[in-house]
Amino acid sequence: MVRPPAPAPRRRVPGRQAPLALFVPAGLGLAFLVLPLAGLLVRAPWATLPQRLAAPGVLTALRLSLLTATGATLLCLVLGVPLAWVLARVRFPGRRLVRALVTVPLVLPPVVGGVALLLVFGRRGLLGGWLDATLGVTLPFTTAGVVLAEAFVAMPFLVIAVEGALRAADARYEEAAATLGAGRWATFTHVTLPLVAPGVAAGAVLCWARALGEFGATITFAGNFPGRTQTMPLAVYLALETDLEAAIVLSLVLLTVSVAILAGLRDRWVTGP
């Protein structure tokens, strides 16, 4: 009887064994990120959680947050997907500068973004005065202003995700469609979009999550009016001054949404070898 050959011993890949000296700061870094979340869970008023979640103020802020985050995401899809396509497919002078400008809201303090929005869309702003005088449209301190502020800070997440998907997509399918007589719009809608649909979906989810958690630009540009502009992060900020347990409950809702978003995107963003 012929015995099968013994499996070759696994060889250790150089560089895969981390130095022991790295484990201590790595553990401290993990604790630094996890302990605050654990503290939130430990201090949560679990006995009164259902009653607090059913409070009118909480439900109103949650409803407004979901509504404005969804509206901001739709606005980002309408504007961001074409912008990502231009950055990925069109060569033009200054493309690097345009890409840098698109990513500025990622590093810009949100409060500064809110001030910038006021200077443009406020009643005395560059466009706000014309909108108010001509169309009677006022954006600051309105629900529409919340959507605008959230879209401003969240759109880069969508553009970066879609641009990366477009660069990774095989352009030969688009070339084949053009060879077969498809127009540019038909190629974009029937070939390009289906190819990058996973990237668009991932970018939209990240965009929605960022919009849901937006605080600085919202409170600066739209204010903090219950039922009109008070989203969940603003409600947390207000509750901290009067009711710590209410702030913890609101924070738990946002934490749950964040964890759900990461769990849904784990195969694309957070899994590794």
Side-chain angles (χ1 to χ4, degrees):
M1 182 176 179
V2 179
R3 295 183 178 179
R10 296 182 61 184
R11 295 190 307 170
R12 293 185 177 180
V13 180
R16 295 298 295 270
Q17 299 298 323
L20 294 177
L22 295 181
F23 282 98
V24 173
L28 291 175
L30 179 61
F32 176 73
L33 296 175
V34 172
L35 283 178
L37 303 180
L40 192 64
L41 296 174
V42 170
R43 292 291 303 275
W46 297 106
T48 60
L49 186 62
Q51 294 85 350
R52 289 185 175 274
L53 287 175
V58 175
L59 293 178
T60 300
L62 178 59
R63 188 182 305 111
L64 182 63
S65 294
L66 296 176
L67 176 65
T68 55
T70 302
T73 302
L74 292 176
L75 179 61
C76 291
L77 284 170
V78 172
L79 302 179
V81 172
L83 178 57
W85 183 88
V86 170
L87 291 175
R89 290 285 192 265
V90 181
R91 294 184 177 275
F92 58 90
R95 184 171 64 167
R96 292 184 177 180
L97 176 61
V98 172
R99 184 179 291 112
L101 292 175
V102 169
T103 57
V104 163
L106 291 176
V107 296
L108 189 71
V111 174
V112 177
V115 173
L117 288 172
L118 275 175
L119 295 178
V120 175
F121 296 104
R123 290 186 176 181
R124 297 182 180 180
L126 299 178
L127 296 178
W130 178 84
L131 289 174
D132 187 26
T134 306
L135 304 176
V137 175
T138 302
L139 294 175
F141 309 108
T142 63
T143 303
V146 177
V147 173
L148 202 64
E150 292 177 348
F152 176 78
V153 299
M155 188 181 294
F157 290 88
L158 176 71
V159 174
I160 291 173
V162 176
E163 184 186 0
L166 284 166
R167 291 182 177 276
D170 194 343
R172 291 178 297 178
Y173 293 101
E174 297 171 315
E175 296 171 357
T179 303
L180 294 174
R184 294 182 178 179
W185 180 250
T187 301
F188 177 74
T189 56
H190 291 79
V191 178
T192 305
L193 281 182
L195 279 176
V196 300
V200 174
V205 172
L206 289 173
C207 178
W208 185 84
R210 179 63 185 89
L212 187 70
E214 167 51 30
F215 174 81
T218 302
I219 196 171
T220 306
F221 182 65
N224 187 11
F225 301 100
R228 189 171 64 181
T229 64
Q230 188 181 91
T231 57
M232 290 288 286
L234 273 64
V236 172
Y237 175 76
L238 186 64
L240 274 175
E241 300 179 354
T242 56
D243 190 349
L244 178 60
E245 290 189 348
I248 294 174
V249 169
L250 294 170
S251 300
L252 280 177
V253 174
L254 292 176
L255 176 61
T256 302
V257 172
S258 301
V259 171
I261 294 299
L262 289 178
L265 293 177
R266 65 185 184 279
D267 293 333
R268 186 172 182 86
W269 297 102
V270 298
T271 53

